Amino acid sequence: MTTEELPMDAGVLLTAIYGKGDDPTRQFREHKETAQVAEQLGFTHLACGQHFIGTELRYYQPIPYLAAVAQAAPTMKVVTHIMLLSMANPVELAEQAATLDAVTEGRAILGVGLGYSDREFLALGVDPKTKVRRFEQGLDLIKRLWSGEPVSDTTDWWHLENAEPSVLPTQQPRMPIWVGGQSTPAIKRAARMGDAWCVPPFPDHDALRELVDVFRAEREAVGLPVETELPVRRELLIASNRAEARDLAAKRAELRYRSYANWGLRGENTMAEAAAAAKAEMPDPEKRFLLGSVDEIVDQLGALREGIGMTNFMFKPHWPGLSHAEAMKQLELFGTEVLPRLRG
């Protein structure tokens, strides 16, 4: 299949680059502008993620925030990218997500993941050692609750007796579920339990290709359709040339990835692992980022499409320390110069 024959959607992430001292009304106003411009440029998905006790960065909670911001972009799908399911009550999350689907008229996607920060687990009274079981049992309950049929079950944490929910997704039989993760076990879990693997930005380009194969092999092994959506997040920076983009990326990424490390992101296919292997504070951005001129970015995204079957590129225009005006220039460059060429 050629590049021109592969479908290509694009999403924009409403990244939390604001601190607790920043004006909340400015953040909301700038994110609404981002959503409006993205919709006008042909972006199809609007996403934001979840953290608690964010210290350096302020994360508003995704479901109410997306419900509000989405009013500025009424045709875009909205994605929780991602909810920390292992810290959540699945009954509450099932109804919250179904509510988001209702108020966006069936345009919501539930993105979920394990979480990694011990600080967050402890703040919410959850033992981090239980996160995999909580995730698996919780996601199973969400799917069953969304069926609309009575649910009776006693798990390690939740008890339901003939529970018959009335808050159901607008999309039937249910809204799509994207599952995040970067380790091999997490990707196999995404293959078994989700509709798509929500690819994070941490695995390098070589590892990404291998992990996509892991996802598809696991789908095949459990008898599920192999061809699904493949939403991919790569850090991306457009400049006049590759060298300039690389320099800018190195400066902008350091604060962002230091935050991830401070919050506890460790293990397989993470920046912390790469930094340790390289014996450096920040690993080489070339191995994970898409960098360069418009032509170079088009080529790199085209290679991702052809090489792994990417269906949706999730673009993050904002970086800590980057002005909103500069971020909007990146968004407009991508939307006017890159995206049309990828769509033929």
Side-chain angles (χ1 to χ4, degrees), residues 6 42-44 68 73 81 105 115 181 219 223 235 239 242 246 248 252 266 273 286 296 320 336-338 342:
L6 287 166
F43 285 77
T44 53
H81 192 294
E105 300 179 327
R219 296 279 294 184
E235 308 290 17
R242 196 176 186 92
R246 179 189 169 87
L248 291 171
R252 293 174 183 176
R266 298 286 187 275
E273 179 192 55
E286 292 268 1
E296 289 170 312
T336 58
E337 301 294 330
V338 175
L342 289 166

Side-chain angles (χ1 to χ4, degrees), residues 84-331:
L84 304 177
L85 174 55
S86 56
M87 304 177 202
N89 182 309
V91 177
E92 180 181 11
L93 182 53
E95 296 206 1
Q96 292 276 6
T99 301
L100 179 64
D101 201 38
V103 301
T104 58
E105 300 179 327
R107 292 182 285 117
I109 296 168
L110 178 64
V112 292
L114 287 179
Y116 57 81
S117 171
D118 283 351
R119 182 186 67 244
E120 292 176 304
F121 282 107
L122 294 173
L124 294 169
V126 175
D127 182 352
K129 295 177 183 177
T130 66
K131 64 182 179 181
V132 173
R133 282 188 296 126
R134 287 179 64 97
F135 178 91
E136 292 178 345
Q137 293 179 20
L139 188 52
D140 178 65
L141 271 180
I142 288 172
K143 292 176 183 177
R144 292 165 63 192
L145 289 165
W146 281 351
S147 75
E149 298 297 320
V151 177
S152 294
D153 199 358
T154 297
T155 71
D156 293 335
W157 297 278
W158 311 290
H159 175 73
L160 293 92
E161 187 171 338
N162 204 34
E164 189 171 349
S166 57
V167 181
L168 302 174
T170 299
Q171 299 173 78
Q172 290 298 315
R174 61 168 171 78
M175 57 198 286
I177 298 170
W178 292 359
V179 178
Q182 58 266 352
S183 69
T184 299
I187 291 155
K188 289 184 175 182
R189 190 179 308 116
R192 294 191 305 270
M193 301 193 71
D195 299 310
W197 174 34
C198 190
V199 179
F202 310 117
D204 65 32
H205 300 317
D206 292 335
L208 175 57
R209 287 188 285 271
E210 295 173 2
L211 293 172
V212 169
D213 289 340
V214 168
F215 175 83
R216 291 180 175 144
E218 186 71 10
R219 296 279 294 184
E220 186 172 18
V222 297
L224 290 171
V226 174
E227 292 307 318
T228 70
E229 288 187 284
L230 184 60
V232 175
R233 181 177 160 196
R234 300 273 88 182
E235 308 290 17
L236 182 150
L237 203 145
I238 306 170
S240 58
N241 56 64
R242 196 176 186 92
E244 181 188 358
R246 179 189 169 87
D247 289 344
L248 291 171
K251 293 173 184 174
R252 293 174 183 176
E254 187 172 359
L255 176 58
R256 164 63 90 181
Y257 285 94
R258 187 178 294 128
S259 295
Y260 287 135
N262 290 343
W263 298 346
L265 182 62
R266 298 286 187 275
E268 183 184 348
N269 295 310
T270 65
M271 297 294 279
E273 179 192 55
K279 297 182 179 179
E281 198 166 316
M282 273 293 296
D284 184 357
E286 292 268 1
K287 293 184 178 181
R288 286 169 173 79
F289 291 20
L290 306 180
L291 303 168
S293 66
V294 166
D295 288 342
E296 289 170 312
I297 294 296
V298 169
D299 288 344
Q300 291 168 60
L301 285 170
L304 269 180
R305 244 186 4 178
E306 289 189 340
I308 65 172
M310 175 181 67
T311 63
N312 192 314
F313 181 72
M314 304 300 290
F315 178 45
K316 183 191 76 177
H318 290 85
W319 294 80
L322 183 69
S323 72
H324 177 65
E326 288 300 315
M328 293 304 290
K329 287 179 182 177
Q330 286 283 308
L331 181 69

Side-chain angles (χ1 to χ4, degrees), residues 50-55 59 61 84 87 117 119-120 123-124:
Q50 183 176 51
H51 276 292
F52 299 98
I53 318 295
T55 59
Y59 280 76
Q61 291 305 306
L84 304 177
M87 304 177 202
S117 171
R119 182 186 67 244
E120 292 176 304
L124 294 169

